Amino acid sequence: MRIGSYGGTLVQAIIGDPPHLNPGITTSVATLVATSGIFESLLRWDDYMNPYPALAERWEVTDDAKSYTFYLVKNATWHDGLPFTACDVKFTFEKILSKYHPRARVVLAPLESVEIIDNYTVKFRFKEPNPMFLYILNVHNAPILPMHLLEGYVANITAAPFNLNPVGTGPFKFVEWRKGEYVKLEKYPSYYIKGFPYLDSIVTRIFRDPLSAILALERGEVDYITGYYMPLSEAKRLQGKQDIVVTGSGASVISPIFVMFYNLDRYPTSIRDFRVAVAHAINRSEILEKVFFGFGKVATGPIPSSHWAYEPNVTIYDYNLSKASEILDRLGFKDVDGDGYREYPNGTKLVLELPYNAGVIFHEKTAQLVAEMLRKIGIRVEIKPYDEATLTMVVYSSRSFHITFERFSTGPDPSIGVARLYHSSYVGSKVPFTNAAPGYRNELVDRLLNQAAMTADKIYRARLFSEFQKIISNDLPILVLLEVVDPNVFRASVKGLHSWSAESRVERIDVWIQRVLEEQTPVRIKTPLQQEKTTTPAEAQTNIPLIAVIIAVIIIAIIFTYIFMRKIRIKA
């Protein structure tokens, strides 16, 4: 049971106006945060990526993962009062997400049909097994949208007035967007889950820069800043303050990693043992502390430890300069002229090209650190700063690099977030944020990934991913440096935030604010993942007269007992 207090306003911060307020056609963090509480998906997910009911109260999946049936809640309504039905689900997936959502449309590519069984039952059929489908059923990837407000704009979705005046089924409804100032939401009084939400309203203030938002947080003018906007140095400074919470929990749906690509088609990073030598020379713990201020952990392989498919028993490349130097000597990369830097076996200078994103501070700092680390084993590194657009061309198109860095979201399923970095189908594709950069080719890895993507049995998938991780850790096409944590920061008076949900930056159903002088007595209520019986403030107040009568009766009984016993003693 959780104690929640009703009332109050949650004030959260974003940097810059969102492009619009329709999370069904974007992955913009500003849009997601500003609309947090407006939209819902079919499922909710806890921080261990276990599914729970949302707009679907239960669901069934066939053994071959080609058919999914969802039984929808019957009492949900859109914020304009119209009922939510299976028609909205069919429309959302067939007409919006499969065409416009950056991540969902990939998983929905094999979608064959969405059949409406009745108003509150819907069946998805796929042309091939699709075990990843369930994992996109969250607000980040699959918010359910109202057909009656968007069906006339399918061909030109960006022109829909809905994008500036959103209507959802969630616990909060849209009120106002003053560009450059704030987005305001209010509690939806007809929300279908009894007893929720706690808050009266949510205000998302729009700031020009992170430091202004942080100052407002420290002054008590802002309650919450998501980790996406938090400079790591500032998060570190705020750690330990009594009235502020800094946490990296509640982001399993994202699970970001920070990696170093090797170019496998360019000498000498094309040599596996050379890549191993470089890996032994990189102190990942130092990068974690000096660049990421301790927010995260040293990675062991391609799938983060937060994933259900994580395999810990893989080849580990510890920080060992002696071992790195021995390998390079054995390969024939030696300092022939005594200047402290090694030469190629043919006598020419060994220089590695390292392009990086000059607009991202942790890219720049990591590039500088790695250049210094490799200098210790006699490798000269030429670091080259580029803007993001140019870097994308250099890394994924022309591939003019030896090593470089990138950050990736690996969630919510390895077949979605991880496979793209290793499957050979991306080699030569020039598609950003994929295996187009390293150019890794391994037929066995392809087969494992293909099987995992088309198998419904989670235990069997875990075995496939286990073998995959062992091969990748041995081949080392990519050195996974860190499992990154985005430090979310909020005032200690905010409760229920980043406490259970895998997508905490958008989950507001059970967030509440603890006040110094409570306007009402907190009431005990179950979390939205344990919806059985809840207690609203009105229900709590109806119990007060009964309790008062019982107490009065007890007091009167005690008084009469005392008087009676006193008379007996006097007579005695």
Side-chain angles (χ1 to χ4, degrees), residues 131 415 445-456 460-461 464:
S415 291
V445 165
D446 287 350
R447 286 199 299 271
L448 291 169
L449 293 176
N450 291 341
Q451 267 188 291
M454 299 180 66
T455 302
Y460 181 51
R461 293 186 77 209
L464 294 171

Side-chain angles (χ1 to χ4, degrees), residues 343-392:
E343 281 79 31
Y344 286 105
N346 66 5
T348 59
K349 281 295 180 183
L350 170 59
V351 180
L352 298 186
E353 291 184 34
L354 194 171
Y356 70 91
N357 190 336
V360 179
I361 191 165
F362 62 81
H363 278 226
E364 180 177 0
K365 288 185 175 180
T366 303
Q368 293 168 350
L369 264 181
V370 166
E372 176 59 25
M373 291 172 183
L374 295 184
R375 186 195 63 77
K376 294 178 181 178
I377 59 169
I379 296 179
R380 189 191 303 273
V381 176
E382 183 180 358
I383 58 176
K384 297 181 175 182
Y386 292 102
D387 62 78
E388 185 171 356
T390 304
L391 181 69
T392 300

Side-chain angles (χ1 to χ4, degrees), residues 304-410:
S305 57
S306 59
H307 268 297
W308 55 265
Y310 171 67
E311 172 56 67
N313 300 312
V314 297
T315 305
I316 303 295
Y317 302 94
D318 60 322
Y319 178 56
N320 191 322
L321 294 179
S322 297
K323 188 181 294 185
S325 295
E326 289 173 7
I327 294 172
L328 292 175
D329 288 342
R330 176 169 50 81
L331 292 174
F333 297 95
K334 299 180 179 180
D335 180 11
V336 178
D337 57 11
D339 66 349
Y341 292 101
R342 296 175 184 269
E343 281 79 31
Y344 286 105
N346 66 5
T348 59
K349 281 295 180 183
L350 170 59
V351 180
L352 298 186
E353 291 184 34
L354 194 171
Y356 70 91
N357 190 336
V360 179
I361 191 165
F362 62 81
H363 278 226
E364 180 177 0
K365 288 185 175 180
T366 303
Q368 293 168 350
L369 264 181
V370 166
E372 176 59 25
M373 291 172 183
L374 295 184
R375 186 195 63 77
K376 294 178 181 178
I377 59 169
I379 296 179
R380 189 191 303 273
V381 176
E382 183 180 358
I383 58 176
K384 297 181 175 182
Y386 292 102
D387 62 78
E388 185 171 356
T390 304
L391 181 69
T392 300
M393 294 292 294
V394 168
V395 172
Y396 297 98
S397 295
S398 65
R399 300 180 67 223
S400 304
F401 73 97
H402 286 101
I403 54 176
T404 190
F405 308 109
E406 193 57 86
R407 171 185 157 134
F408 292 96
S409 169
T410 63

